Amino acid sequence: MNDKNISRRDFLKIVGAGALATTAAFYGCAPENEQDTDQSGKHSGNVPIDKMTYRTMSTSGDRISLLGFGMMRLPIITNENTQKDEINQTLVNQLVDYAIEHGINYFDTSPRYNMGLSESATGKALSRHPRNKYFVATKLSNFDPSSQKREGAIEMYNQSFENLQVSVIDYYLLHSIGGGGMDALHKRYIDNGILDFLLGERKKGKIRNLGFSYHGNIEVYDYLLSQHDKYKWDFVQIQLNYVDWNLASGRNTDASYLYGELEKRSIPAVVMEPLLGGRLGNLPHHLFLQLKSRRPDDSSASWAFRFAGSLPNVLTALSGMNVMDHLQDNIRTFSPLIPCTPEEDSLLKEIAVEYNQYPLIPCTDCNYCMPCPYGIDIPGVFLFYDKMVNEGSIPKSSQDENYRSARRKFLIEYDRAVPTLRQSNHCINCKICVPKCPQRIGIPTEMQRIDEFIETLKRGNEF
């Protein structure tokens, strides 16, 4: 390969087979002055306080807000004294207060979220409100060997009550079922007797509703549902959005199948990743224009939430809302929900087909892969790469007129987004992260692909 004159064929080998469609769409379909079109919507007026849409649990009678608050991606600040990242509790309190005031009553957390700080932050924020104003969901996130032993798992379970400052947990989940297959299911929950323990806790009333969150292995999913008569799952949490509905493409099981299996058993579905890790709130420009032409004032996120909320067996759709603008936009979408028409549903599924042609990495920034033992910011690298694809800022061939400026922009912004010591070139292919990824991303392979692309850019013409 000629370092200073990479061919289009070589470029596509590096960035992925879908890049041809991507570059054509970005560089050929939208005028340059439209590239930064705002996808956040232009709603005006007050945010409704008493218009929230609710769904009712058939078993418990709980009246649940169709918009749930996901506490996975809480706002972070750096402690000036310790220089360590901490939860911005003041902002979390403000967001939770606003959410409850506007009708949101379902809050979902885990001992693993936000560096292990999410449960405590959630408990601090919610405990300032009457207990009948909210339902709290958390999980047995026993991923580490110590917490897979019976004693360690029970200790994690008991700690959740303390962190959340509650005597009863409304919705409790076996966390990330599917990762590791049937062997992991038995090791984490069955062989150690923990599932039987949790069933007993539900019978005693310490857990009001028991379910599981699913990630990846359909054999495990089908098995647990086949045991519904024995376990009587109250709810199940699944990844569902219009891109994954029929086109999961190996990342996860098609959402249409997951949802259908729950619906025919009358098990309510809790939806995670309705925005596919936020990416459906920032669509490629020409795809967003198709939505904007139908509903000019609606955000791209609103379309994704309406798709999920339109399904009648969805109990709540979770959103990780760490800024007020997002919280307000989502509340408007669900206050009340306007279900998708058949024509809108068809449009979203057509957009999904085109979206899946893009060479994006399906990272949802869940951080299950972290920390990397070699210091790589795995989600940071992937999210930066996807951002540049969405913006149309992936440099093409050095033979193209705008290659030099696009190359310079990519390299400079990469260094700004991801510190040098945490970039993709530090990956040694140890594969520790691979089994942890609920999206089944070949993380070392993608790191190598991105690194090869970046090294090709660095060998290009000097600035």
Side-chain angles (χ1 to χ4, degrees):
M1 184 187 300
N2 186 327
D3 290 347
K4 294 182 179 292
N5 194 26
I6 180 174
S7 71
R8 187 173 183 80
R9 177 180 297 176
D10 290 329
F11 169 78
L12 293 180
K13 287 180 181 178
I14 294 172
V15 301
L20 179 59
T22 303
T23 52
F26 283 128
Y27 290 94
C29 295
E32 185 175 350
N33 61 358
E34 292 182 349
Q35 291 291 336
D36 295 326
T37 298
D38 182 15
Q39 298 194 31
S40 61
K42 295 180 173 61
H43 295 287
S44 60
N46 294 327
V47 180
I49 290 180
D50 56 354
K51 304 290 186 181
M52 177 60 63
T53 302
Y54 293 89
R55 297 271 167 84
T56 302
M57 279 282 286
S58 58
T59 53
S60 64
D62 292 346
R63 189 167 174 263
I64 304 294
S65 58
L66 190 50
L67 173 61
F69 204 129
M71 311 296 283
M72 175 190 274
R73 302 177 179 95
L74 297 180
I76 299 294
I77 56 173
T78 301
N79 186 306
E80 293 183 359
N81 295 323
T82 65
Q83 293 301 305
K84 293 183 178 180
D85 288 341
E86 298 177 352
I87 301 292
N88 186 338
Q89 190 66 50
T90 300
L91 183 51
V92 171
N93 290 350
Q94 292 172 353
L95 292 169
V96 167
D97 293 350
Y98 193 91
I100 291 177
E101 179 186 4
H102 290 80
I104 296 174
N105 64 7
Y106 189 96
F107 297 84
D108 172 88
T109 183
S110 156
R112 275 293 299 269
Y113 294 167
N114 277 104
M115 306 170 293
L117 302 176
S118 175
E119 271 193 341
S120 293
T122 300
K124 290 174 184 176
L126 290 177
S127 64
R128 298 156 51 254
H129 295 269
R131 186 62 178 90
N132 63 359
K133 287 290 187 180
Y134 61 88
F135 300 99
V136 65
T138 193
K139 307 169 183 74
L140 186 57
S141 307
N142 58 339
F143 303 133
D144 302 323
S146 61
S147 61
Q148 291 171 6
K149 297 178 181 178
R150 181 180 176 85
E151 297 78 11
I154 293 175
E155 181 180 357
M156 177 178 286
Y157 168 77
N158 289 330
Q159 185 64 46
S160 290
F161 288 90
E162 183 176 335
N163 291 342
L164 294 168
Q165 302 182 42
V166 296
S167 59
V168 173
I169 293 176
D170 301 298
Y171 292 80
Y172 198 74
L173 301 94
L174 315 184
H175 194 182
S176 194
I177 289 296
M182 291 295 294
D183 288 344
L185 173 68
H186 279 271
K187 187 174 183 179
R188 293 175 60 194
Y189 295 114
I190 297 178
D191 294 346
N192 58 9
I194 287 301
L195 180 51
D196 289 334
F197 168 79
L198 295 176
L199 292 169
E201 292 293 281
R202 180 175 63 179
K203 188 174 182 179
K204 289 191 295 187
K206 293 283 287 181
I207 297 171
R208 295 185 57 246
N209 299 278
L210 181 64
F212 62 89
S213 66
Y214 166 74
H215 293 277
N217 187 305
I218 197 60
E219 180 186 5
V220 179
Y221 186 80
D222 288 341
Y223 169 76
L224 288 178
L225 292 188
S226 74
Q227 301 297 305
H228 179 47
D229 288 343
K230 176 181 179 181
Y231 298 132
K232 300 198 181 323
W233 304 112
D234 296 297
F235 69 110
V236 174
Q237 189 163 306
I238 58 174
Q239 179 168 315
L240 186 152
N241 52 71
Y242 63 83
V243 168
D244 281 331
W245 185 250
N246 288 317
L247 298 162
S249 304
R251 296 192 302 269
N252 213 319
T253 310
D254 285 356
S256 58
Y257 177 83
L258 302 178
Y259 177 82
E261 291 299 297
L262 297 179
E263 187 175 43
K264 69 186 183 184
R265 293 174 173 85
S266 299
I267 302 173
V270 171
V271 170
M272 57 184 167
E273 303 299 348
L275 294 184
L276 200 56
R279 284 178 286 144
L280 300 185
N282 185 28
L283 290 169
H285 176 74
H286 78 289
L287 297 182
F288 171 62
L289 288 183
Q290 296 182 48
L291 302 180
K292 185 176 177 64
S293 67
R294 300 291 185 96
R295 297 176 68 91
D297 292 334
D298 283 10
S299 65
S300 52
S302 177
W303 280 86
F305 282 118
R306 288 178 58 229
F307 175 84
S310 297
L311 298 165
N313 195 50
V314 169
L315 179 66
T316 188
L318 302 175
S319 177
M321 300 169 283
N322 55 18
V323 296
M324 188 62 72
D325 286 348
H326 294 168
L327 175 58
Q328 291 175 334
D329 182 56
N330 293 346
I331 290 171
R332 290 189 182 100
T333 297
F334 287 96
S335 299
L337 175 78
I338 300 174
C340 288
T341 66
E343 293 77 17
E344 290 173 335
D345 185 77
S346 296
L347 172 62
L348 288 173
K349 290 171 181 175
E350 290 172 5
I351 287 176
V353 173
E354 191 166 356
Y355 183 90
N356 271 338
Q357 297 175 7
Y358 284 67
L360 297 169
I361 298 165
C363 175
T364 61
D365 194 24
C366 69
N367 279 276
Y368 290 0
C369 59
M370 297 295 283
C372 167
Y374 298 93
I376 300 168
D377 183 0
I378 298 171
V381 172
F382 289 163
L383 294 177
F384 169 79
Y385 180 80
D386 284 351
K387 172 180 176 289
M388 299 302 279
V389 171
N390 275 335
E391 291 179 355
S393 299
I394 293 289
K396 297 187 290 182
S397 167
S398 58
Q399 301 173 56
D400 296 321
E401 182 179 352
N402 69 340
Y403 173 77
R404 190 167 181 239
S405 60
R407 167 183 169 271
R408 184 176 188 274
K409 173 182 171 67
F410 188 101
L411 292 175
I412 289 176
E413 294 199 10
Y414 183 49
D415 284 340
R416 289 174 178 170
V418 184
T420 302
L421 293 178
R422 307 195 69 189
Q423 292 179 1
S424 57
N425 60 312
H426 294 282
C427 178
I428 67 162
N429 196 30
C430 70
K431 299 183 180 178
I432 292 174
C433 54
V434 174
K436 299 178 182 179
C437 178
Q439 302 301 322
R440 293 189 284 177
I441 300 169
I443 295 174
T445 301
E446 295 292 354
M447 284 290 166
Q448 181 181 4
R449 177 169 72 88
I450 291 173
D451 185 49
E452 288 176 356
F453 172 57
I454 290 170
E455 287 303 311
T456 299
L457 294 183
K458 288 180 178 179
R459 292 194 299 264
N461 295 326
E462 295 298 323
F463 296 157

